Amino acid sequence: MENLSIVETADGSKTIFNAEVGEHYHSNHGALQESLHVFVNAGLKYYLENNPSDEVNICEVGFGTGLNFLLSANHCTAEKIMLNYTGIEAFPLKQEINAQTGYDQYISTDVWASYQQKYIDCLTNPQQISTYSSLKIEPVRLLHFDTNQKFDLIYYDAFAFRYQPEMWSDESIKHILKFLKVGGVFVTYAITGNLKRSLQSLGCTIQKIPGAGKKREMLRAVKNSE
Ligand SMILES: C[S@@+](CC[C@H](N)C(=O)[O-])C[C@H]1O[C@@H](n2cnc3c(N)ncnc32)[C@H](O)[C@@H]1O
């Protein structure tokens, strides 16, 4: 963990810099802005607009600090929608560093307090974080993740291709797509020709939409068939 430091991004929200990988956990242009734009607005809100429901199941690849979970839980609490969230994380953060992100500013006090209190237990069993959210963190590498569950949404928040190309391989994308329901939505901050082709070959329709901050585009995919 000596490789990890907390740094500020352009919108004032914090992220983690991993010196070993040489990459940040979020965009330098704004961690909060990116998380809200890519995952909450383009992912969760889009899904719920098209599939109104009182319950939603999300799986995130690269759980990290949990910012995407916290903002999603906040939205679901406001809308009284039950959020069942699974985070896949090969290198879970220690509690000490997870407590120092300052993300309490962006969500309700109760959700933050419960998340801090139950974070370590989430690594072994699902925990009820609030009336409208439960969280399980699977401390495994993506390719070792397995479940009988199918998800409504996949948040794909791996390190960028140039730092971790294997996370963007056909094998990795195929593996996670197995757990997405037909009609489900996959979102990520990046867009490449290979990723588009890979998702199309797995029965998805691709949508190229404006990216967060200075990123021109991001990718959203809807799964049409198995
Ligand atoms: C871009 S960061 C994700 C940031 C995170 N979503 C957040 O809000 O803090 C990428 C994450 O993927 C994790 N990771 C790296 N290799 C992985 C693998 N093979 N399987 C699952 N997670 C992995 C890293 O430890 C890191 O937490």
Side-chain angles (χ1 to χ4, degrees), residues 69-70 73 95 98 104 107-122 127-135:
F69 161 71
L70 292 168
Q95 171 83 48
N98 197 39
D104 52 316
I107 57 163
S108 81
T109 314
D110 291 353
V111 170
W112 177 257
S114 177
Y115 173 62
Q116 287 306 316
Q117 195 195 341
K118 297 178 179 170
Y119 170 71
I120 294 299
D121 291 336
C122 289
Q127 302 291 317
Q128 191 79 26
I129 302 295
S130 62
T131 313
Y132 290 104
S133 63
S134 77
L135 173 63

Side-chain angles (χ1 to χ4, degrees), residues 20-193:
E20 195 184 330
V21 180
E23 175 61 318
H24 296 85
Y25 276 38
H26 304 94
S27 162
N28 285 325
H29 300 300
L32 178 66
Q33 184 193 49
E34 178 184 55
S35 181
L36 285 172
H37 179 88
V38 176
F39 300 104
V40 179
N41 294 336
L44 177 59
K45 289 188 186 173
Y46 171 85
Y47 177 81
L48 290 170
E49 274 161 24
N50 289 285
N51 304 273
S53 174
D54 56 8
E55 186 166 13
V56 63
N57 298 299
I58 299 181
C59 178
E60 175 174 15
V61 177
F63 181 80
T65 60
L67 179 59
N68 298 327
F69 161 71
L70 292 168
L71 296 172
S72 299
N74 223 38
H75 177 75
C76 286
T77 299
E79 298 295 320
K80 296 191 167 42
I81 294 167
M82 182 63 209
L83 169 67
N84 304 307
Y85 201 98
T86 299
I88 305 173
E89 175 52 63
F91 309 102
L93 292 174
K94 286 192 175 158
Q95 171 83 48
E96 304 88 90
I97 192 151
N98 197 39
Q100 290 174 45
T101 57
Y103 296 156
D104 52 316
Q105 298 169 62
Y106 314 125
I107 57 163
S108 81
T109 314
D110 291 353
V111 170
W112 177 257
S114 177
Y115 173 62
Q116 287 306 316
Q117 195 195 341
K118 297 178 179 170
Y119 170 71
I120 294 299
D121 291 336
C122 289
L123 294 162
T124 44
N125 285 304
Q127 302 291 317
Q128 191 79 26
I129 302 295
S130 62
T131 313
Y132 290 104
S133 63
S134 77
L135 173 63
K136 170 80 175 84
I137 306 169
E138 296 286 350
V140 295
R141 288 177 184 269
L142 168 60
L143 293 178
H144 294 162
F145 173 71
D146 196 16
T147 177
N148 294 327
Q149 208 186 334
K150 293 261 189 179
F151 298 92
D152 302 308
L153 275 151
I154 289 171
Y155 291 176
Y156 205 79
D157 202 9
F159 285 128
F161 177 83
R162 66 192 157 117
Y163 299 101
Q164 240 195 326
E166 71 277 15
M167 294 299 285
W168 304 91
S169 67
D170 292 348
E171 185 187 17
S172 292
I173 301 301
K174 185 174 180 187
H175 185 73
I176 197 63
L177 258 282
K178 280 196 299 202
F179 307 110
L180 184 63
K181 282 181 189 163
V182 171
V185 170
F186 170 105
V187 272
T188 188
Y189 62 88
I191 186 159
T192 65

